[in-house]
Amino acid sequence: MNNHTHLHIHPIERLWIIISFSMIGVFAVAVLTAGFAYGFQLPVPEDRIVDPNLVATPGATAFGEPGLRELSPGNMEARVLAQAWSFTPKEITIPVGTKVTFYVTTKDVQHGFHLEGSNINFMVLPGQISKLSTTFTTPGTYNFYCHEYCGVGHQTMYGQVIVTEK
Amino acid sequence: MMRWLVRGAYGLVALIAFSTLAFAVFQPIKVLPRAGLGPGILLQDQEGRTLSSDTLRGKIVLYSFGFSRCETPCQGSQAVMQAVQRELQAGTGSVPVQLVTISFDPATDTPAVLRRMSAQAGADPAHWLFTTGEPRRLKYAIGGGFSVYYGANEEGSFDYDPAMVLIDGWGILRAEYRTPTPKIETVLRDVRLLVEEAQNSTGVARYAYEAAHLFLCYP
Ligand SMILES: [Cu+2]
């Protein structure tokens, strides 16, 4: 093999290659350190953590009596409790144009929550409260369902949001 | 020449990478997350004075909610307010901290009743105010603004989801405690963190605090 066929890398090109690979290295170290040294703790605000064993007990948390409530005119909150294999409540009726904040958590295993026709789509983890807001501008029936496989009854985990005319 | 330039660039990249990692892992500065903008509010205190989100700008404000006939659901937050008041009486330096209890029952809780609530709670009016307001405005501020549910029930009382809210001097929501028994140590820690942030966020240190927000250096 002679010198002319050697692959020649320009120093600056080499610099960029090394930077790219070190970034992958740094991220891997960061993820592993966060995971193993810090126990996979996600930065979750205090009010989004809940004890999954207490969550369904009336009075202990707001999920004791899940459902829809009015916070102020035009502003509602829906608390939905997931469990294998159902959502409580199964049906939520809201007037069109109302801002609804969904709080969803689970009392057993990991589930998912996807609400058609909205931006609401999240994982539902035991011990954490998932929260997102939406406003439906068109009356109709919108399905929500669990989209994280959670066992033999997974296909029965669904419900409906009914958006009514004002 | 070229070689030194490339070596310098390696050094710089390594320095940035390691300091970023060190900042994220060791969290030399801790901050509370900025959860969103607090609502505009208009209240009257136990002396009939007006209190608003505008007059509270520049102050760290810890809000609790309740009404004079409230018993169990309000006791947890009262204990927390008392603990924070003790700390405030010991002094927090140049950063003002205000405790505000809002009653959502203005029909019953007149200024005289608010004064009685204040006395019963052992409140020092220099630090802790008892307030109420116009029902519709309260509903928008507490329900809509703080997302704290309350509503009149059949027994002539109120259903209420116990909560406390911490707002910083810019009117930004920094912490919510949605439990009947908030942990006193947690609330004290959060108030101290906000005081520290307000005190130290001058000059270059301000950028270090902004970086702490970017790296999610949450306690
Ligand atoms: Cu499921």
Side-chain angles (χ1 to χ4, degrees):
Chain A
M1 192 201 279
N2 73 51
N3 251 354
H4 293 278
T5 56
H6 250 309
L7 183 64
H8 175 76
I9 303 177
H10 192 275
I12 291 187
E13 203 166 352
R14 180 182 296 138
L15 172 70
W16 279 114
I17 293 170
I18 291 179
I19 289 176
S20 325
F21 279 92
S22 358
M23 270 171 74
I24 296 171
V26 166
F27 291 151
V29 170
V31 167
L32 292 174
T33 320
F36 292 104
Y38 293 83
F40 284 112
Q41 285 293 328
L42 294 168
V44 176
E46 193 79 10
D47 68 302
R48 302 273 292 277
I49 299 170
V50 71
D51 181 348
N53 299 315
L54 276 179
V55 73
T57 314
T61 74
F63 289 93
E65 290 146 66
L68 190 71
R69 294 192 300 198
E70 188 187 69
L71 290 171
S72 67
N75 191 342
M76 300 181 111
E77 64 169 28
R79 288 186 185 266
V80 180
L81 185 63
Q83 67 187 91
W85 294 282
S86 64
F87 288 110
T88 317
K90 202 175 165 59
E91 201 179 283
I92 297 169
T93 306
I94 50 173
V96 70
T98 304
K99 180 187 167 197
V100 190
T101 305
F102 281 85
Y103 294 85
V104 189
T105 192
T106 161
K107 64 178 191 183
D108 44 46
V109 297
Q110 179 178 323
H111 297 282
F113 187 83
H114 174 63
L115 174 53
E116 283 176 354
S118 80
N119 56 323
I120 294 177
N121 184 343
F122 39 55
M123 279 171 97
V124 182
L125 300 166
Q128 277 189 39
I129 299 170
S130 301
K131 174 188 171 189
L132 271 178
S133 302
T134 194
T135 306
F136 281 101
T137 51
T138 316
T141 301
Y142 301 86
N143 297 316
F144 59 81
Y145 46 83
C146 172
H147 59 9
E148 298 254 349
Y149 182 70
C150 55
V152 291
H154 171 64
Q155 71 283 358
T156 66
M157 270 189 91
Y158 62 88
Q160 285 177 331
V161 170
I162 297 159
V163 180
T164 55
E165 300 273 2
K166 263 217 170 100
Chain B
M1 178 60 196
M2 186 64 167
R3 175 174 296 178
W4 286 106
L5 217 64
V6 170
R7 281 189 187 166
Y10 275 128
L12 195 67
V13 168
L15 185 73
I16 293 172
F18 280 102
S19 46
T20 305
L21 192 62
F23 200 90
V25 170
F26 299 111
Q27 308 193 339
I29 298 174
K30 283 195 171 133
V31 289
L32 287 180
R34 293 182 177 131
L37 200 60
I41 49 174
L42 186 65
L43 303 163
Q44 271 80 43
D45 73 3
Q46 71 259 43
E47 306 298 337
R49 290 170 301 197
T50 299
L51 198 68
S52 76
S53 39
D54 270 347
T55 58
L56 289 167
R57 274 296 141 83
K59 287 182 182 175
I60 294 162
V61 189
L62 179 63
Y63 288 100
S64 76
F65 311 94
F67 53 107
S68 55
R69 291 167 296 153
C70 175
E71 279 157 19
T72 332
C74 301
Q75 276 160 4
S77 66
Q78 180 153 319
V80 174
M81 295 296 258
Q82 286 161 342
V84 178
Q85 176 173 269
R86 277 194 293 280
E87 177 131 328
L88 298 185
Q89 284 167 331
T92 53
S94 55
V95 181
V97 181
Q98 181 74 58
L99 303 174
V100 178
T101 297
I102 307 179
S103 160
F104 39 71
D105 186 13
T108 314
D109 298 344
T110 59
V113 177
L114 292 174
R115 280 197 292 275
R116 204 181 66 223
M117 285 168 77
S118 164
Q120 275 167 356
D124 175 352
H127 300 292
W128 185 0
L129 295 173
F130 281 74
T131 64
T132 190
E134 194 256 316
R136 200 176 146 80
R137 279 211 177 99
L138 284 180
K139 197 69 198 162
Y140 275 108
I142 302 174
F146 292 128
S147 302
V148 172
Y149 174 79
Y150 70 90
N153 60 22
E154 299 92 59
E155 294 105 69
S157 185
F158 287 88
D159 290 329
Y160 160 57
D161 262 7
M164 295 180 82
V165 178
L166 187 61
I167 301 275
D168 71 12
W170 293 279
I172 297 169
L173 183 71
R174 300 299 287 272
E176 300 161 273
Y177 313 95
R178 296 180 184 277
T179 155
T181 49
K183 287 195 206 86
I184 291 175
E185 317 87 76
T186 310
V187 181
L188 280 176
R189 178 201 68 193
D190 291 354
V191 171
R192 286 184 199 127
L193 281 175
L194 282 191
V195 168
E196 228 171 82
E197 186 179 348
Q199 233 157 22
N200 299 343
S201 292
T202 52
V204 184
R206 220 185 104 201
Y207 297 101
Y209 273 93
E210 287 310 311
H213 279 287
L214 287 180
F215 290 119
L216 310 180
C217 295
Y218 300 156

